[in-house]
Each structure stands twice: as C-alpha cells, then as structure tokens.
Amino acid sequence: MATTATVDFWFDPACPYTWLTSRWVVEAATVRPLDVRWRVMSLAVLNEGRDDDPEGDPEGYLWVPVRICAAVLRQYGQEGLGAFYAALWADRGDGGAKQWMNDPGAALADAGLPPELAEAGSRGDYDGAVRASHAEAIALLGPHVGTPIVAAPDPGGDADARIAFFGPVLS
C-alpha cells in the first residue's frame, strides 16, 4: 500500500490561474495517494514596495479574499478552507465563462460556513498569519515567483527533502 504524501498548495484566492492549478492538484489526489494541505499566500504581499502594480490593485482589494481564507483556516481548518476555496470559484450556473471568483459571503454560505466571516476581509486581524504563510512559501523558491507554489516530498526517499515549484498548471 502506498504511503500518502502531503502536498502543500500555497495560493492567492483571487488568482484565476491558481484556481486552475488547484483543480489539477485536486484531480491528482483522486488518482494518487496525496493529501492536499491548503496554504495562503498573497499577491498583495508579493507586490508590496514595487514601483509597478502588476495586479492593478491600488486600493488593496486583493487583501480581502486572502484575509477571509486565513480566518477560515484558523477557525475551520483545512476542510473549511478547501470547501471555501472551491465555493469561491464554483460555477454558480450563470452560463458564462468563469472569469472571476464569486462573492465571498455567498461562497462562505455555499461552503457551509458563517457568512459573517467575510467581515475578516476588511480588517487586518489575519494579516500576520497571511504574511507568515506567504513567507514560508517564498522561502522555498525565492522572491521572484508568484502564485501558486506547490511543495511535495522528494520522491528520492529523503524524508526531510521537498520539491517545490511555482506556476500555474493549465493542462
């Protein structure tokens, strides 16, 4: 029987390419012995201090969904965060191509979580947790990356070694 490997998946919840990659890793976990551990990172944190704003976020909107994710993780754990992230990008039956995430309050409700958790998005209560998780991801590959970052155990057998990569997996 194969040993289950834990795959850490750092994501910014507002990134559509990261969403596509998350579906790839979820699908991989259906055919391989993988346990996905959801971790937050933030494009807002990544782009702090840059002269340009590649995300076009001068108002700081990107903080909202990642703060909510950090609140969900702290209060409802991995299962809650995975359910919220899935609901955030779920097709709500409007027939159009999915271009952007759903309303966080509606996604919380769809995930069976209290919609009031959406209030965390407008406060800095979870910024320290977001920054710490983000720093852990960046430490694996360096500062010139983005979202997502995926880390898995080294298949060579070294129990302490991990292989990490950055970038969306689109197919």
Side-chain angles (χ1 to χ4, degrees), residues 135-160:
E136 189 177 346
I138 295 300
L140 294 170
L141 297 173
H144 302 292
V145 296
T147 180
I149 292 177
V150 181
D154 181 352
D158 183 346
D160 295 325

Side-chain angles (χ1 to χ4, degrees), residues 6-171:
T6 298
V7 174
D8 287 302
F9 189 91
W10 279 272
F11 67 99
D12 182 301
C15 178
Y17 295 113
T18 298
W19 168 247
L20 292 173
T21 306
S22 78
R23 299 307 88 190
W24 167 76
V25 81
V26 166
E27 177 64 25
T30 67
V31 296
R32 298 279 188 258
L34 303 175
D35 180 31
V36 180
R37 183 167 43 193
W38 302 106
R39 313 285 298 274
V40 295
M41 66 181 301
S42 170
L43 289 168
V45 172
L46 187 70
N47 294 326
E48 283 179 332
R50 290 182 60 159
D51 291 333
D52 63 334
D53 182 2
E55 310 310 326
D57 186 34
E59 303 300 319
Y61 175 77
L62 290 176
W63 275 103
V64 173
V66 77
R67 286 172 172 158
I68 297 168
C69 283
V72 169
L73 180 60
R74 182 167 296 154
Q75 295 180 39
Y76 293 92
Q78 285 293 308
E79 188 174 322
L81 181 55
F84 171 62
Y85 187 39
L88 195 59
W89 282 92
D91 180 357
R92 296 182 64 89
D94 60 7
K98 193 76 181 138
Q99 300 283 323
W100 191 242
M101 62 188 168
N102 297 314
D103 172 72
L108 286 162
D110 290 348
L113 299 166
E116 299 79 32
L117 279 171
E119 296 169 11
S122 62
R123 300 188 313 264
D125 301 359
Y126 294 92
D127 289 4
V130 169
R131 288 180 186 282
S133 182
H134 180 92
E136 189 177 346
I138 295 300
L140 294 170
L141 297 173
H144 302 292
V145 296
T147 180
I149 292 177
V150 181
D154 181 352
D158 183 346
D160 295 325
R162 297 172 76 192
I163 295 174
F165 67 90
F166 149 67
V169 175
L170 301 178
S171 67

